[in-house]
Amino acid sequence: MSKQQSSFELNDLRENSHVEQYNGILDQLDLPPGIVEFLQKNQRKIWTVVTIIAVVIISTALYDSYSTYSLNKAAKAYDAALLLEGEQRATALNTVKEDFSSTPSAVWGQIQLTHIDQEAGKYKEAIDRLESLKSELGKEDLLNPLVLANLGALYEQNQQLDKAVAAYELLHKREGYEALALSNLGRLYESMEKKEQAVATYQRYMSLTEKKGEAGPAQNSLARDMVQASLNRILQ
């Protein structure tokens, strides 16, 4: 019995010493009595919350560190892949996608693989790759216009003109890419012998570029001259 009492007394002594130390700190802070009383009554809950917050902060810091490490590693793998040629480059770029799927390097790797397929005349493979990438990126992604422009060109090369039109119409909705989309749409309508739509689209392009002066004076002038020549040819 005396051993049990001594054990309880020891625990009480330890707990009381912690409480006294805690109360001493509160006294030094010179807080209002009401706040001191609240802190004394809820010190266990307060310490629990503080511990949780500390764990969250540490976890976030570790995640940020890991993310930075992964991004750097992915970028190095992508750069190394670009130094290779032929099948070795394609294999290395596919490895970047598999190992670092959620990084910008993986996205650029897929774009490079699309160019490889395109150069080899594998239009279907290139289109499938870009369609998959488009669905992954989302409508507001900064790379989305690049994907749409490439998709439109690939559909043109593969003689899927209706799908090319759809891609360029989506591109037209992105600010800053209206002129590019209109010139491509006009050319498509012309090749599809839809003269009225071609004329209307070319005229919209001329009006837009005259107001905005897009793409710089020299390039804009050349593009406008080409569109004007197309208009003249259709209207003859």
Side-chain angles (χ1 to χ4, degrees):
M1 185 69 176
S2 60
K3 289 183 178 180
Q4 288 182 341
Q5 283 181 335
S6 62
S7 176
F8 287 133
E9 288 172 358
L10 182 59
N11 289 336
D12 290 341
L13 181 60
R14 288 174 179 170
E15 186 173 347
N16 289 335
S17 65
H18 291 154
V19 171
E20 289 175 1
Q21 184 179 8
Y22 182 75
N23 290 339
I25 294 173
L26 293 179
D27 291 339
Q28 292 178 13
L29 293 176
D30 195 25
L31 297 172
I35 295 178
V36 172
E37 183 180 357
F38 172 81
L39 293 174
Q40 288 174 338
K41 288 182 178 179
N42 298 279
Q43 59 177 296
R44 188 180 299 277
K45 293 180 181 179
I46 292 171
W47 281 115
T48 300
V49 172
V50 169
T51 302
I52 292 173
I53 292 173
V55 170
V56 170
I57 292 173
I58 293 171
S59 299
T60 302
L62 290 174
Y63 176 78
D64 289 342
S65 177
Y66 174 76
S67 296
T68 301
Y69 170 78
S70 297
L71 288 172
N72 291 337
K73 193 172 181 180
K76 289 179 181 178
Y78 174 74
D79 291 341
L82 294 183
L83 296 176
L84 302 174
E85 298 292 340
E87 288 298 323
Q88 287 184 325
R89 174 183 286 190
T91 300
L93 289 171
N94 272 314
T95 300
V96 172
K97 180 193 175 186
E98 293 170 2
D99 293 348
F100 308 100
S101 58
S102 60
T103 65
S105 297
V107 174
W108 282 107
Q110 289 303 291
I111 293 174
Q112 289 293 334
L113 284 168
T114 298
H115 293 159
I116 292 174
D117 289 336
Q118 187 175 6
E119 290 172 0
K122 299 178 180 179
Y123 299 131
K124 183 181 183 305
E125 290 84 346
I127 287 170
D128 290 343
R129 194 184 299 278
L130 280 184
E131 285 287 3
S132 176
L133 184 57
K134 179 166 72 77
S135 64
E136 292 175 10
L137 290 177
K139 295 180 180 179
E140 300 304 319
D141 194 285
L142 294 176
L143 287 176
N144 185 265
L146 174 63
V147 171
L148 290 173
N150 276 276
L151 261 179
L154 282 168
Y155 278 129
E156 279 192 74
Q157 290 177 304
N158 207 37
Q159 295 302 307
Q160 295 174 272
L161 301 186
D162 288 336
K163 290 186 176 181
V165 168
Y168 290 138
E169 284 178 344
L170 287 175
L171 181 63
H172 180 257
K173 295 178 181 178
R174 294 301 300 264
E175 185 177 357
Y177 296 90
E178 299 94 339
L180 174 62
L182 287 173
S183 64
N184 289 338
L185 282 169
R187 185 187 66 253
L188 269 177
Y189 289 137
E190 185 179 359
S191 67
M192 297 166 74
E193 297 185 354
K194 297 182 178 181
K195 292 185 178 181
E196 290 184 2
Q197 288 174 278
V199 168
T201 304
Y202 280 144
Q203 288 175 339
R204 288 171 62 194
Y205 170 88
M206 296 298 287
S207 176
L208 176 67
T209 53
E210 184 178 15
K211 292 177 181 178
K212 299 181 70 172
E214 293 186 2
Q219 185 177 351
N220 185 52
S221 177
L222 177 60
R224 282 174 57 83
D225 289 345
M226 293 176 65
V227 170
Q228 186 62 60
S230 297
L231 266 174
N232 294 340
R233 182 174 59 251
I234 297 172
L235 295 173
Q236 281 180 349

